Amino acid sequence: MAQLSDLVNLDLTDSTTKIIAEYIWIGGSGMDIRSKARTLAGPVDDPKKLPKWNYDGSSTGQAPGEDSEVILYPQAIFKDPFRRGNNILVMCDAYTPAGEPIPTNKRCAAAKIFSNPKVEKEVPWYGIEQEYTLLQKDVNWPLGWPQGGFPGPQGPYYCGIGADKAFGRDIVDAHYKACLYAGINISGINGEVMPGQWEFQVGPAVGISAGDELWVARYILERITEIAGVVVSFDPKPIPGDWNGAGAHCNYSTKSMREEGGYEVIKKAIEKMGLRHKEHIVAYGDGNERRLTGRHETADINTFIWGVANRGASIRVGRDTEKEGKGYFEDRRPASNMDPYVVTSMIAETTILWNKS
Amino acid sequence: MALLSDLINLDLSDSTPKIIAEYIWIGGSGMDLRSKARTLSGPVDDPKKLPKWNYDGSSTGQAPGEDSEVILYPQAIFKDPFRRGNNILVMCDAYTPAGEPIPTNKRCAAAKIFSNPEVEKEVPWYGIEQEYTLLKKDVNWPLGWPQGGFPGPQGPYYCGIGADKAFGRDIVDSHYKACLYAGINISGINGEVMPGQWEFQVGPSVGISAGDELWVARYILERITEIAGVVVSFDPKPIPGDWNGAGAHTNYSTKSMRDEGGYEVIKKAIEKMGLKHKEHIAAYGEGNERRLTGRHETADINTFLWGVANRGASIRVGRDTEKEGKGYFEDRRPASNMDPYVVTSMIAETTILWNKS
């Protein structure tokens, strides 16, 4: 009998010039990712050449039933690791038919900040460390944890190996290669401190592309867990108690920070970040107060503290940066469920555009 | 549905020049292996060309939280049998940001001994026989043993075949090929005396590379048992009673021992080993007193005894070596959980550098 995988893996390049484009967007909760596919006449590598599309916003909590069309504007193209061939993934953002960004569209405002000449000049680089937890389907208990119970305490799992320490590596490794294939700047992966928790890093990515790449990386991850029959959670504190939370630490630098004398620029930027601590925290992900407790390698949510090599700080500067007098800093406050368009543009805005008045 | 294995096995060499490097190090217990991966811009075959990296030492018991960076120095490269393509495994050792080896870094001191001109001149060769036991996950009882009970007594299992005598051959055979693929000098495998126990041998390797190769072979083994859903144990006496323990016999020779008249050199070397018996035993692995009882093909831990073809000896010399007047000797004292950097360098130090004073 023919197998399903024979059909799923058909290489169409010999039969037709047509390609399949999977349009991806963010739904009404701000964290649910949606997608649907369409056929195009031939290969496309420039998002500006892709047609706009639309979807039923009343089915995603983004439009009323009697006026439900939401328009998708293609913004970035990646190779599709699931369909391969010339097929593509297209990251989009959402607008009303009149051309206004809908309320959940955070990309539009971020793109404005990144196209501000002062910001463009500084070529802001981002490296985002996305943590996430794998859960067993139906019971929503972490992968590898005993039914109705807990594994041994944290210690052996960080970068650990072995059937009793690493749960779900197949998913993580498939995701790494799939993202590289897609053209995403995935720079590494590691097993995290809580068993069943993992991390991947995207970057360095410039400006708005950091958000595009992270969202598509999240999309690919959830498509892979779908194949594996496992659920992925971006909750910042999936298990209460003596178990680490999940963050999305954001590493950041500007041209000035990367050049001679950069360390002084970094210190001034961190000072501004500290003055706007409350505003940033509000935008850094829902439920972050369950995670930023001052324990488990976090700083308390009401405290702003920065330090070199200090993992209990809000912002950490690496020893290399201190030694070389230039480099980058790591904002450890964002939760795993943060919106990278919001966080990356806010950091650029605070450090480049904002002045303490 | 697309299969997870399609993604894990993606050959990226057509999509990108980038490669994935898995950096491996030894954690705070001295036996726990850790690793994490990063993307590099292209293939690398010289460890000196790999960037240093760092990890969170506070999560592995190797640094405090407020000063947690531990630096990884790449020391040896092997091909990655899991990711294949141009992807690599990198064996590293660990240093403080100031450049000092951290206390659990045993490679640094070993490398100093091996670069001593008197030692280099003797081109020390090592062949290490690594024994290990496979355990069922969750219950931690040997693979193939009945639940809550014991198999028939030892006898049929050594090099045995058949579903009632050999448990876990898949793991052993895939490990053999994976190590050969990786470029490790794996010289053989065999089923051991206790059911569920196996052995592989690495060598002949020169100087510091013996330790590098054995650690990476252990890493590959635990990654494979992770895939198989089985736990690997390096405990020297996993089951008390009339069941063999697990060792890491270390075969050793120098240029002088391999040349004409070598047998006299060997006898002098063994004499020095005997004079330092207590010091060696202290460094030959924890829990060894449960294994070196004088029974089960071991010599009692407090006794130093050597002999030709004597498996009850501390050090055994093969009949070939005796007959040809040159060759090597086998130190049977090291436990399966020994650190090969410590053991190999200590044998070189005692036999080449140390003089009874």
Side-chain angles (χ1 to χ4, degrees):
Chain A
M1 218 173 351
Q3 293 216 324
L4 215 55
S5 49
D6 294 332
L7 298 170
V8 167
N9 292 331
L10 266 174
D11 180 0
L12 296 170
T13 41
D14 299 319
S15 347
T16 174
T17 50
K18 294 178 180 177
I19 68 145
I20 305 172
E22 186 88 29
Y23 281 49
I24 301 166
W25 72 96
I26 299 159
S29 76
M31 267 307 281
D32 55 314
I33 311 178
R34 310 277 179 151
S35 75
K36 54 173 179 159
R38 67 187 299 182
T39 310
L40 299 175
V44 182
D45 52 24
D46 180 355
K48 293 183 182 53
K49 299 206 173 103
L50 285 169
K52 290 188 169 77
W53 205 10
N54 64 74
Y55 68 92
D56 174 11
S58 68
S59 290
T60 59
Q62 294 171 303
E66 60 292 355
D67 188 11
S68 62
E69 263 186 25
V70 177
I71 316 302
L72 289 171
Y73 289 29
Q75 299 292 359
I77 290 178
F78 299 89
K79 287 171 63 175
D80 184 336
F82 306 100
R83 296 196 178 99
R84 297 182 288 281
N86 290 318
N87 305 304
I88 55 176
L89 303 177
V90 184
M91 188 63 204
C92 306
D93 61 347
Y95 296 77
T96 64
E100 294 300 314
I102 64 173
T104 49
N105 178 349
K106 305 301 180 191
R107 189 187 193 281
C108 191
K112 283 198 179 62
I113 288 172
F114 283 120
S115 45
N116 181 310
K118 285 185 167 144
V119 175
E120 271 194 342
K121 200 167 57 118
E122 283 287 3
V123 193
W125 284 9
Y126 297 90
I128 304 175
E129 305 170 38
Q130 175 74 66
E131 293 180 333
Y132 61 91
T133 313
L134 298 174
L135 306 176
Q136 297 164 40
K137 201 165 90 94
D138 299 335
V139 297
N140 280 359
W141 197 231
L143 190 66
W145 291 36
Q147 210 71 310
F150 294 82
Q154 296 183 153
Y157 312 108
Y158 170 74
C159 301
I161 61 172
D164 50 349
K165 294 176 284 266
F167 311 127
R169 187 190 299 275
D170 265 5
I171 290 166
V172 187
D173 275 352
H175 180 251
Y176 201 163
K177 281 195 177 180
C179 285
L180 281 173
Y181 177 92
I184 290 170
N185 246 318
I186 181 166
S187 46
I189 55 139
N190 62 270
E192 267 303 330
V193 176
M194 183 178 110
Q197 198 176 68
W198 295 86
E199 170 181 314
F200 65 89
Q201 305 101 30
V202 171
V206 183
I208 196 69
S209 68
D212 292 334
E213 294 199 23
L214 191 73
W215 273 114
V216 178
R218 286 174 172 178
Y219 174 82
I220 292 174
L221 178 61
E222 191 157 18
R223 284 285 307 272
I224 286 174
T225 55
E226 180 188 316
I227 294 171
V230 158
V231 167
V232 59
S233 167
F234 292 102
D235 188 273
K237 190 77 173 184
I239 308 291
D242 200 4
W243 303 100
N244 272 31
H249 304 162
C250 206
N251 296 279
Y252 172 73
S253 69
T254 59
K255 198 164 175 302
S256 307
M257 294 174 190
R258 297 188 290 270
E259 289 170 353
E260 291 308 311
Y263 196 51
E264 294 309 308
V265 182
I266 288 171
K267 287 197 284 192
K268 286 202 179 76
I270 293 177
E271 196 196 337
K272 292 211 240 175
M273 296 284 275
L275 291 169
R276 293 196 86 204
H277 176 70
K278 281 191 162 48
E279 289 87 339
H280 278 248
I281 282 290
V282 161
Y284 274 13
D286 286 348
N288 214 3
E289 66 286 353
R290 289 181 281 119
R291 167 183 160 257
L292 294 182
T293 58
R295 296 178 59 223
H296 302 112
E297 302 171 90
T298 70
D300 176 76
I301 197 169
N302 296 312
T303 307
F304 182 82
I305 183 168
W306 80 272
V308 177
N310 184 354
R311 280 184 158 81
S314 321
I315 289 187
R316 165 175 160 267
V317 172
R319 288 213 171 279
D320 279 353
T321 294
E322 182 190 41
K323 205 165 63 165
E324 289 165 34
K326 57 185 176 175
Y328 65 96
F329 68 75
E330 178 194 14
D331 189 347
R332 295 175 63 81
R333 299 169 296 173
S336 41
N337 59 356
M338 62 81 158
D339 184 324
Y341 294 130
V342 170
V343 170
T344 55
S345 61
M346 193 173 205
I347 293 175
E349 186 181 45
T350 294
T351 58
I352 300 172
L353 300 176
W354 185 74
N355 286 305
K356 19 183 198 176
S357 43
Chain B
M1 240 187 320
L3 291 176
L4 213 55
S5 50
D6 293 334
L7 297 170
I8 293 175
N9 293 329
L10 266 174
D11 179 359
L12 295 169
S13 32
D14 299 320
S15 347
T16 173
K18 293 181 181 179
I19 66 145
I20 302 172
E22 185 87 30
Y23 281 49
I24 301 166
W25 72 95
I26 300 160
S29 77
M31 266 308 280
D32 56 313
L33 282 159
R34 310 273 179 155
S35 75
K36 56 173 179 159
R38 69 187 298 183
T39 308
L40 298 175
S41 53
V44 183
D45 52 22
D46 180 355
K48 292 182 184 55
K49 299 204 173 100
L50 286 168
K52 289 187 169 82
W53 205 8
N54 64 73
Y55 69 93
D56 175 9
S58 68
S59 290
T60 59
Q62 294 173 302
E66 52 306 342
D67 189 10
S68 60
E69 267 175 52
V70 177
I71 316 302
L72 290 170
Y73 288 29
Q75 299 291 1
I77 289 177
F78 299 89
K79 287 171 64 175
D80 184 337
F82 306 100
R83 295 195 178 101
R84 297 181 290 282
N86 289 318
N87 304 305
I88 54 176
L89 303 177
V90 184
M91 187 62 205
C92 306
D93 61 346
Y95 295 77
T96 63
E100 294 299 314
I102 64 172
T104 47
N105 177 349
K106 305 302 181 192
R107 189 189 193 281
C108 191
K112 282 198 177 67
I113 288 170
F114 283 120
S115 47
N116 181 309
E118 285 182 66
V119 174
E120 270 194 343
K121 204 168 49 123
E122 283 287 2
V123 193
W125 283 9
Y126 298 89
I128 304 175
E129 305 170 37
Q130 175 73 67
E131 292 179 332
Y132 61 92
T133 312
L134 297 174
L135 306 176
K136 293 186 268 207
K137 200 165 91 96
D138 299 334
V139 296
N140 281 359
W141 196 233
L143 190 65
W145 291 38
Q147 206 73 315
F150 294 82
Q154 296 183 154
Y157 312 108
Y158 170 74
C159 301
I161 61 171
D164 51 349
K165 294 179 282 277
F167 311 127
R169 188 188 297 277
D170 264 5
I171 289 168
V172 186
D173 275 354
S174 49
H175 179 251
Y176 201 165
K177 283 195 176 181
C179 285
L180 282 172
Y181 176 94
I184 290 170
N185 246 318
I186 183 166
S187 43
I189 56 137
N190 61 271
E192 268 301 331
V193 175
M194 183 178 111
Q197 196 176 69
W198 296 85
E199 171 181 314
F200 65 89
Q201 306 99 31
V202 171
S205 312
V206 183
I208 197 70
S209 67
D212 292 335
E213 292 196 25
L214 191 73
W215 274 115
V216 179
R218 285 174 172 178
Y219 174 84
I220 291 173
L221 178 60
E222 191 158 21
R223 284 286 307 273
I224 286 172
T225 54
E226 180 187 316
I227 294 170
V230 160
V231 169
V232 59
S233 168
F234 292 102
D235 188 272
K237 190 78 173 183
I239 307 292
D242 200 3
W243 304 99
N244 272 31
H249 304 162
T250 300
N251 297 278
Y252 172 72
S253 69
T254 60
K255 197 166 176 305
S256 308
M257 294 175 191
R258 298 188 290 269
D259 287 342
E260 290 307 312
Y263 196 51
E264 294 308 309
V265 182
I266 288 171
K267 286 197 282 190
K268 286 202 181 75
I270 293 177
E271 195 195 341
K272 292 210 243 177
M273 296 283 274
L275 291 169
K276 290 198 89 191
H277 176 71
K278 279 190 162 52
E279 289 89 337
H280 279 245
I281 282 290
Y284 273 14
E286 284 173 27
N288 215 1
E289 67 285 353
R290 289 182 282 119
R291 165 182 161 258
L292 294 182
T293 57
R295 298 178 56 226
H296 301 112
E297 300 171 88
T298 71
D300 175 76
I301 196 170
N302 296 311
T303 306
F304 182 83
L305 170 81
W306 80 272
V308 176
N310 182 355
R311 279 186 159 76
S314 319
I315 289 187
R316 164 175 157 268
V317 172
R319 288 212 175 280
D320 279 352
T321 295
E322 181 190 42
K323 203 165 63 164
E324 290 164 35
K326 59 186 175 177
Y328 64 96
F329 68 75
E330 177 195 18
D331 189 346
R332 295 175 62 79
R333 298 169 295 172
S336 42
N337 60 356
M338 63 81 157
D339 184 326
Y341 294 131
V342 171
V343 171
T344 56
S345 62
M346 194 174 205
I347 293 175
E349 188 180 42
T350 294
T351 58
I352 302 173
L353 300 177
W354 184 71
N355 287 306
K356 16 183 196 171
S357 45

